Amino acid sequence: PDAPALDVLAQVLGDGASSRLFQQVKEKGRHALDVSASSTNLRDAGIFDIDATCLPENVAPAREAILAVVEGIKAKGPSPEEMLRAKQLTLARHYHGWESHDSLAHDLVTSEIYTGDCRYSEHYIRLIERVEAADVLRVARHYLNPDRLNEVWLLPEGAPDVSAAPPARTQQPALQKLELSNGMRLLVLEDPTIPVMYAQVSIRGGVVEETASDNGVSALAADMRLMP
């Protein structure tokens, strides 16, 4: 139910040159080469994502500026001008996804997978039109908090460590590392704030393990597992 408001929030924060993150983190602060925000809304759970690219020496200032923008939207919410722009961009992108038979088929399938309703896109338009600034403020305060924050930084060797001062968390789940009898390693991370279970199995393969004589065997094995 919060997906439309989260989509509008992503537009306000980080879609285009007039978005808050772009203006404050890149243009004014000069902390990042690029920055954006997006919301992925699935049937059971989702991810609100902020991406930034910057020079190694600007990682800490960029991180601080991004978090400041997040706190700013949580304090007062979006302006009427931001709401109008965000809703127009969201709807324009949505309509663009109906321009070809291929994109329309993709829309039907993803709507069924993500929401359980293949016609969800038709309702989505009306839902976006109904989103108010108060809705965006509510989802920003509910979802964009330190207890839900996961950070990943891809840094060159020798770059300063930015993990020394993470945002304060009220309760951080403990990661369990187990080794099964067959030698496989199992990582378990419980999060009581999300009412779903997600599992992933990763096996070494691809160019890391293959040789010239068996190149491509990992991709072939993966494709065979997906065949009906």
Side-chain angles (χ1 to χ4, degrees), residues 36-58:
S36 62
S38 63
S39 180
T40 303
N41 304 295
L42 309 177
R43 184 184 303 187
D44 298 311
I47 296 174
F48 193 93
D49 182 66
I50 296 176
D51 292 304
T53 303
C54 62
L55 298 175
E57 60 267 25
N58 287 338

Side-chain angles (χ1 to χ4, degrees), residues 1-9 11 80 82-92 94-95 98 120-136:
D2 289 337
L6 285 166
D7 286 340
V8 174
L9 173 61
Q11 296 283 350
E82 287 177 320
M83 284 296 297
L84 179 60
R85 170 191 166 276
K87 292 168 74 170
Q88 287 177 338
L89 282 174
T90 303
L91 290 174
H94 195 69
Y95 286 126
W98 290 353
Y120 174 74
S121 285
E122 299 175 9
H123 314 312
Y124 178 84
I125 295 170
R126 293 188 291 274
L127 294 173
I128 287 292
E129 291 172 343
R130 294 173 188 165
V131 172
E132 303 290 343
D135 300 317
V136 177

Side-chain angles (χ1 to χ4, degrees), residues 7-120:
D7 286 340
V8 174
L9 173 61
Q11 296 283 350
V12 171
L13 281 179
D15 193 326
S18 59
S19 65
R20 290 198 182 190
L21 285 168
F22 193 95
Q23 284 295 314
Q24 297 183 35
V25 180
K26 179 181 178 180
E27 291 296 305
K28 295 179 181 178
R30 301 292 182 182
H31 301 307
L33 304 174
D34 192 24
V35 62
S36 62
S38 63
S39 180
T40 303
N41 304 295
L42 309 177
R43 184 184 303 187
D44 298 311
I47 296 174
F48 193 93
D49 182 66
I50 296 176
D51 292 304
T53 303
C54 62
L55 298 175
E57 60 267 25
N58 287 338
V59 169
R63 177 181 179 277
E64 183 178 344
I66 289 170
L67 294 177
V69 171
V70 169
E71 291 304 314
I73 196 74
K74 290 165 59 178
K76 295 184 178 180
S79 67
E81 294 77 16
E82 287 177 320
M83 284 296 297
L84 179 60
R85 170 191 166 276
K87 292 168 74 170
Q88 287 177 338
L89 282 174
T90 303
L91 290 174
R93 183 172 288 111
H94 195 69
Y95 286 126
H96 181 67
W98 290 353
E99 289 186 348
S100 68
H101 291 89
D102 179 70
S103 59
L104 182 57
H106 179 268
D107 181 77
L108 291 171
V109 172
T110 53
S111 292
E112 176 66 26
I113 293 173
Y114 291 165
T115 70
D117 179 6
C118 66
R119 296 287 186 180
Y120 174 74

